[in-house]
Structures are given as C-alpha cells and as structure tokens.
Amino acid sequence: MTDPTARALRLLSLLQGRRDWAGGDLAGRLGVSVRTLRRDVDRLRELGYPVQARPGADGGYRLAAGAALPPLVLDDDEAVALTVALQAAAAGAGAGMAEASVRALTKVVPVLPARLRRRVESLQAMTVPAPPWSDGGPAIDPQLLVAAAQACRESERLEFTYTPAGRPPEARLVEPHRLVPLGRRWYLVAFDPARGDWRTFRLDRMSGVHGSGARFAPRPLPAEDAAAFVRAGIDRFRTPTVVEAVVEAPAAVVRDRVGRWVRVTDDGPHRCRLRMETDDLDWPALVLGAVRAEFTVVAPDELRQRLAEWSQRFARAG
C-alpha cells in the first residue's frame, strides 16, 4: 500500500479493531517497513489519535483512550450494525438515548454507500422489533426521523403530509426548528409560513417527509426552548390524571426500576412515594407492577378499579 492517506486509514482501522499490535505484524499487514510504520503512527498522533508505543524487542502499538472521541473507521459489517442499532434506539421515543441516536444517524446515514443502505433496509424489513415493557409509544420510521433532523440542521424547508386527529390528511410546507422526544412520542417544532405562526407536529402523524431544497433564515422561537414550546402546547389541550402511590421499598431502589418517567420521593427509610401525570391509566399500572414491591394507591380511584380488573384477569390466566 503506497498511498500515505489510504495507508493511515487502514492503520487506524487495524488499531481500532484490536487492543495490542506487534510492530512487525502491523507493518506486514500494511506491506511497509517498520520505519515507514513509525512515520504513519506519528501522522496519526498529529491528527489527535493517542497511539501508544511499547518499546523493546517485542514492542508494539496500542490506540489508547483520549480526551475526546476521535473519528472512527468502520468496516461494512460494523457500519450496518451501528446504523441498525441507532435506528432501533431512535424509534423508541421513550428511551433516554433516542435524541442522541437521531443526531448520530444524521451523521452516519448520509455517508453510507448504496450497497450498505440496501443491507440496512433488508435487515429492517426482515426484523420484528420487540419493545421493552416501558415502550408504549407509536412506532416511528427512523428514515422519517433522519429526514426531519437533517432539515432542522441544514435550515431546509420540509414537505410532508400531516393527518391531524379526526381530520383528513393535508400537505404542509414548514421551516423546521427542532425535534423533541417527549413522553413516548416525537414532536417537530416548526414555523408554518402559510399560517404565519409556530406549530408542533407529531411525527407518528407525518408521512412522505422530504426536504424541499429551499433554504430559510432561522427565526427566534417564542419560548425558552423547543421542549418548553411542546409542553405548553400539550398542556393547553389536556388535563392529565395525577397518580400517587406509596411503595414499600427504598426510593433509590424504586427510581432504578421505574426510570425517569416518575417522580419518586422518600417517605421513610424503607418506603417512598411515587407520583406521575398521565392520560392513560394502563401506563401507571405497568409502572407499579415493575417496582416488584407492595404498594398502596393513594389516587385516583379509577386506577384502583383498573388494577382490580387486571388482577382478576391475571388470576384467571394463572
């Protein structure tokens, strides 16, 4: 391998794929002398990759952890696996890593070669997702998420078909601002030029999403941030049910089991109080079942009735 740039990329891929390399083995893989290998290692160090050298007759090289994550070199199988995993994480709106997964996808997907895109699509088509118990939101097409995220990042007007609740589909052309994962859903915050105002769109009600090719100058959002804008819009149209229960387990244990969707406060050394707001009583029933401890429902009465129905159904099944 004579081209220094291609050789440096190959060297980086080898170092990322195995923890320790003997100098002779690396030079042999690259088809160069040990002296040329040392120059290539120095070139990687100049680019910010922390390559450590082990002196001696059995000396070698190792790519160490640095202060920041350097660019990675992935082979075909690794790129496909990474993309599929990111898409699975992004589609789960309730997952804590969903937003970061979308940001990563906007960087990975545009540079995937066509042959790898086909492999990713084939894997998706032949895979049946099995969401965890905590996932109850609508499924979102990862490609839709990527298209919307790229339009936000590049300030490109976005076209799509939107189907509001109880109304027929309608074509929309908007200036996208931010994507917001909230609760178990994804939302797009955008300015709608046709209506002259800011709007929030649920991604599970969007289809045919694509960039129009037209750029726009970003406008100031009339809210503290996009998440606050979405919350304000949701709060105007709903009156959530407040659920409160006393759980016979330490607060730290319960927090670890229920995640970030529920507010948990201490109520003694071996007891805590659980509180959440919801528009679906099946959700707190699932949460309370997941704490794996005795509990007492404080409110509302409707939840007690729901739990009684569930207990009878489970008893019949047992």
Side-chain angles (χ1 to χ4, degrees):
M1 186 178 294
T2 58
D3 181 68
T5 301
R7 199 169 60 242
L9 288 173
R10 175 60 176 157
L11 172 59
L12 179 58
S13 178
L14 291 171
L15 289 171
Q16 289 176 340
R18 202 167 88 186
R19 180 169 176 80
D20 289 291
W21 281 94
D25 289 345
L26 268 180
R29 288 290 190 99
L30 297 172
V32 299
S33 66
V34 174
R35 184 177 179 181
T36 299
L37 172 63
R38 285 198 293 267
R39 287 200 298 267
D40 290 343
V41 168
D42 289 338
R43 186 175 295 113
L44 288 181
R45 288 169 176 160
E46 291 172 0
L47 293 172
Y49 293 93
V51 182
Q52 295 178 344
R54 185 178 65 251
D58 61 341
Y61 296 95
R62 168 192 295 183
L63 187 62
L69 179 68
L72 301 175
V73 176
L74 305 174
D75 62 27
D76 285 4
D77 291 339
E78 292 167 344
V80 170
L82 176 64
T83 304
V84 171
L86 286 171
Q87 289 179 337
M97 296 299 292
E99 189 173 6
S101 300
V102 172
R103 291 200 306 270
L105 279 170
T106 62
K107 299 176 183 178
V108 174
V109 170
V111 297
L112 279 179
R115 67 179 189 281
L116 298 188
R117 288 176 186 264
R118 287 193 291 271
R119 287 180 59 184
V120 170
E121 291 167 358
S122 298
L123 275 174
Q124 287 180 315
M126 299 306 296
T127 302
V128 177
W133 70 268
S134 59
D135 182 15
I140 303 295
D141 181 358
Q143 296 302 323
L144 186 156
L145 279 167
V146 172
Q150 287 178 330
C152 290
R153 186 179 65 178
E154 298 171 10
S155 298
E156 180 183 6
R157 287 191 171 184
L158 196 65
E159 294 182 295
F160 55 90
T161 300
Y162 194 68
T163 307
R167 302 212 305 270
E170 53 190 38
R172 306 298 285 264
L173 175 65
V174 303
E175 298 175 358
H177 177 70
R178 289 289 186 278
L179 285 172
V180 178
L182 191 62
R184 289 168 285 161
R185 295 188 175 93
W186 277 98
Y187 298 88
L188 171 68
V189 175
F191 184 82
D192 189 333
R195 292 159 176 79
D197 199 3
W198 289 87
R199 291 288 190 270
T200 298
F201 302 93
R202 273 177 47 176
L203 263 69
D204 57 295
R205 294 176 177 172
M206 296 167 57
S207 61
V209 178
H210 64 277
S212 68
R215 307 285 177 170
F216 64 90
R219 306 168 187 262
L221 181 69
E224 178 183 355
D225 55 37
F229 184 84
V230 173
R231 288 192 187 95
I234 294 174
D235 290 344
R236 283 199 301 268
F237 297 102
R238 69 167 184 145
T239 53
T241 300
V242 177
V243 172
E244 188 170 354
V246 174
V247 180
E248 303 299 328
V253 174
V254 173
R255 284 193 196 96
D256 184 60
R257 292 174 179 172
V258 302
R260 62 190 179 93
W261 306 111
V262 182
R263 187 162 64 254
V264 180
T265 56
D266 287 303
D267 195 24
H270 304 292
R271 174 185 293 176
C272 65
R273 194 167 290 264
L274 180 152
R275 182 182 174 89
M276 65 185 297
E277 294 182 356
T278 182
D279 53 3
D280 182 359
L281 290 178
D282 286 341
W283 175 241
L286 283 169
V287 171
L288 288 168
V291 300
R292 302 197 297 276
E294 297 294 323
F295 63 87
T296 302
V297 174
V298 177
D301 291 336
E302 292 81 4
L303 179 57
R304 296 192 191 94
Q305 296 169 4
R306 185 69 56 89
L307 291 173
E309 295 170 2
W310 280 32
S311 66
Q312 292 171 8
R313 190 179 310 126
F314 290 157
R316 290 193 297 270

